[in-house]
PDB file of all heavy atoms in Angstrom:
ATOM      1  N   LYS A  16       9.573  20.857   0.509  1.00 76.00           N
ATOM      2  CA  LYS A  16      10.076  20.079  -0.580  1.00 76.00           C
ATOM      3  C   LYS A  16      10.615  18.810  -0.165  1.00 76.00           C
ATOM      4  O   LYS A  16      10.578  17.810  -0.939  1.00 76.00           O
ATOM      5  CB  LYS A  16      11.142  20.978  -1.268  1.00 76.00           C
ATOM      6  CG  LYS A  16      10.573  21.905  -2.280  1.00 76.00           C
ATOM      7  CD  LYS A  16      11.362  21.879  -3.658  1.00 76.00           C
ATOM      8  CE  LYS A  16      10.673  22.584  -4.778  1.00 76.00           C
ATOM      9  NZ  LYS A  16      10.564  24.059  -4.457  1.00 76.00           N
ATOM     10  N   ASP A  17      11.164  18.707   1.029  1.00 89.00           N
ATOM     11  CA  ASP A  17      11.839  17.451   1.415  1.00 89.00           C
ATOM     12  C   ASP A  17      10.745  16.435   1.868  1.00 89.00           C
ATOM     13  O   ASP A  17      11.123  15.239   2.146  1.00 89.00           O
ATOM     14  CB  ASP A  17      12.845  17.692   2.538  1.00 89.00           C
ATOM     15  CG  ASP A  17      12.204  18.311   3.799  1.00 89.00           C
ATOM     16  OD1 ASP A  17      11.074  18.709   3.717  1.00 89.00           O
ATOM     17  OD2 ASP A  17      12.906  18.463   4.790  1.00 89.00           O
ATOM     18  N   ARG A  18       9.473  16.794   1.881  1.00 95.00           N
ATOM     19  CA  ARG A  18       8.420  15.881   2.261  1.00 95.00           C
ATOM     20  C   ARG A  18       7.531  15.585   1.076  1.00 95.00           C
ATOM     21  O   ARG A  18       6.742  14.615   1.075  1.00 95.00           O
ATOM     22  CB  ARG A  18       7.623  16.489   3.399  1.00 95.00           C
ATOM     23  CG  ARG A  18       7.734  15.653   4.631  1.00 95.00           C
ATOM     24  CD  ARG A  18       6.788  16.193   5.713  1.00 95.00           C
ATOM     25  NE  ARG A  18       5.800  15.210   6.111  1.00 95.00           N
ATOM     26  CZ  ARG A  18       4.940  15.457   7.110  1.00 95.00           C
ATOM     27  NH1 ARG A  18       4.957  16.548   7.722  1.00 95.00           N
ATOM     28  NH2 ARG A  18       4.051  14.495   7.293  1.00 95.00           N
ATOM     29  N   LEU A  19       7.426  16.506   0.099  1.00 97.00           N
ATOM     30  CA  LEU A  19       6.560  16.282  -1.038  1.00 97.00           C
ATOM     31  C   LEU A  19       7.357  15.870  -2.254  1.00 97.00           C
ATOM     32  O   LEU A  19       8.190  16.604  -2.784  1.00 97.00           O
ATOM     33  CB  LEU A  19       5.814  17.624  -1.341  1.00 97.00           C
ATOM     34  CG  LEU A  19       4.616  17.532  -2.213  1.00 97.00           C
ATOM     35  CD1 LEU A  19       3.502  16.669  -1.530  1.00 97.00           C
ATOM     36  CD2 LEU A  19       4.120  18.929  -2.539  1.00 97.00           C
ATOM     37  N   PRO A  20       7.199  14.645  -2.809  1.00 97.00           N
ATOM     38  CA  PRO A  20       7.943  14.212  -3.892  1.00 97.00           C
ATOM     39  C   PRO A  20       7.654  15.010  -5.130  1.00 97.00           C
ATOM     40  O   PRO A  20       6.628  15.715  -5.244  1.00 97.00           O
ATOM     41  CB  PRO A  20       7.395  12.721  -4.120  1.00 97.00           C
ATOM     42  CG  PRO A  20       6.835  12.309  -2.820  1.00 97.00           C
ATOM     43  CD  PRO A  20       6.322  13.559  -2.248  1.00 97.00           C
ATOM     44  N   PRO A  21       8.592  15.009  -6.087  1.00 97.00           N
ATOM     45  CA  PRO A  21       8.406  15.839  -7.344  1.00 97.00           C
ATOM     46  C   PRO A  21       7.118  15.501  -8.040  1.00 97.00           C
ATOM     47  O   PRO A  21       6.685  14.431  -8.190  1.00 97.00           O
ATOM     48  CB  PRO A  21       9.589  15.388  -8.194  1.00 97.00           C
ATOM     49  CG  PRO A  21      10.175  14.161  -7.588  1.00 97.00           C
ATOM     50  CD  PRO A  21       9.782  14.227  -6.160  1.00 97.00           C
ATOM     51  N   GLY A  22       6.387  16.620  -8.490  1.00 96.00           N
ATOM     52  CA  GLY A  22       5.156  16.505  -9.235  1.00 96.00           C
ATOM     53  C   GLY A  22       3.960  16.183  -8.444  1.00 96.00           C
ATOM     54  O   GLY A  22       2.853  15.968  -9.065  1.00 96.00           O
ATOM     55  N   GLN A  23       4.082  16.309  -7.128  1.00 97.00           N
ATOM     56  CA  GLN A  23       2.887  15.945  -6.264  1.00 97.00           C
ATOM     57  C   GLN A  23       2.335  17.247  -5.675  1.00 97.00           C
ATOM     58  O   GLN A  23       3.023  18.232  -5.490  1.00 97.00           O
ATOM     59  CB  GLN A  23       3.334  15.032  -5.123  1.00 97.00           C
ATOM     60  CG  GLN A  23       3.850  13.663  -5.479  1.00 97.00           C
ATOM     61  CD  GLN A  23       2.774  12.807  -6.125  1.00 97.00           C
ATOM     62  OE1 GLN A  23       2.812  12.479  -7.305  1.00 97.00           O
ATOM     63  NE2 GLN A  23       1.799  12.382  -5.347  1.00 97.00           N
ATOM     64  N   TYR A  24       1.035  17.224  -5.283  1.00 96.00           N
ATOM     65  CA  TYR A  24       0.513  18.361  -4.507  1.00 96.00           C
ATOM     66  C   TYR A  24      -0.159  17.834  -3.312  1.00 96.00           C
ATOM     67  O   TYR A  24      -0.500  16.679  -3.208  1.00 96.00           O
ATOM     68  CB  TYR A  24      -0.489  19.173  -5.358  1.00 96.00           C
ATOM     69  CG  TYR A  24      -1.770  18.405  -5.700  1.00 96.00           C
ATOM     70  CD1 TYR A  24      -2.822  18.390  -4.804  1.00 96.00           C
ATOM     71  CD2 TYR A  24      -1.895  17.777  -6.934  1.00 96.00           C
ATOM     72  CE1 TYR A  24      -3.964  17.695  -5.197  1.00 96.00           C
ATOM     73  CE2 TYR A  24      -2.989  17.053  -7.218  1.00 96.00           C
ATOM     74  CZ  TYR A  24      -4.074  17.031  -6.332  1.00 96.00           C
ATOM     75  OH  TYR A  24      -5.254  16.296  -6.611  1.00 96.00           O
ATOM     76  N   LEU A  25      -0.282  18.669  -2.276  1.00 96.00           N
ATOM     77  CA  LEU A  25      -0.778  18.210  -0.981  1.00 96.00           C
ATOM     78  C   LEU A  25      -2.272  18.242  -0.866  1.00 96.00           C
ATOM     79  O   LEU A  25      -2.909  19.248  -1.342  1.00 96.00           O
ATOM     80  CB  LEU A  25      -0.183  19.101   0.153  1.00 96.00           C
ATOM     81  CG  LEU A  25      -0.355  18.624   1.545  1.00 96.00           C
ATOM     82  CD1 LEU A  25       0.282  17.271   1.773  1.00 96.00           C
ATOM     83  CD2 LEU A  25       0.406  19.643   2.432  1.00 96.00           C
ATOM     84  N   THR A  26      -2.955  17.304  -0.453  1.00 95.00           N
ATOM     85  CA  THR A  26      -4.435  17.327  -0.175  1.00 95.00           C
ATOM     86  C   THR A  26      -4.733  17.045   1.281  1.00 95.00           C
ATOM     87  O   THR A  26      -3.927  16.380   1.974  1.00 95.00           O
ATOM     88  CB  THR A  26      -5.103  16.296  -1.077  1.00 95.00           C
ATOM     89  OG1 THR A  26      -6.476  16.404  -0.822  1.00 95.00           O
ATOM     90  CG2 THR A  26      -4.675  14.880  -0.832  1.00 95.00           C
ATOM     91  N   LYS A  27      -5.751  17.707   1.746  1.00 89.00           N
ATOM     92  CA  LYS A  27      -6.094  17.516   3.180  1.00 89.00           C
ATOM     93  C   LYS A  27      -7.187  16.373   3.332  1.00 89.00           C
ATOM     94  O   LYS A  27      -7.141  15.762   4.326  1.00 89.00           O
ATOM     95  CB  LYS A  27      -6.763  18.795   3.667  1.00 89.00           C
ATOM     96  CG  LYS A  27      -5.711  19.942   3.829  1.00 89.00           C
ATOM     97  CD  LYS A  27      -5.409  20.177   5.303  1.00 89.00           C
ATOM     98  CE  LYS A  27      -3.963  20.840   5.473  1.00 89.00           C
ATOM     99  NZ  LYS A  27      -3.949  22.238   4.890  1.00 89.00           N
TER     100      LYS A  27
END
Side-chain angles (χ1 to χ4, degrees):
K16 276 226 168 60
D17 58 353
R18 244 185 118 175
L19 195 65
Q23 296 293 112
Y24 67 87
L25 192 58
T26 178
K27 289 253 158 64

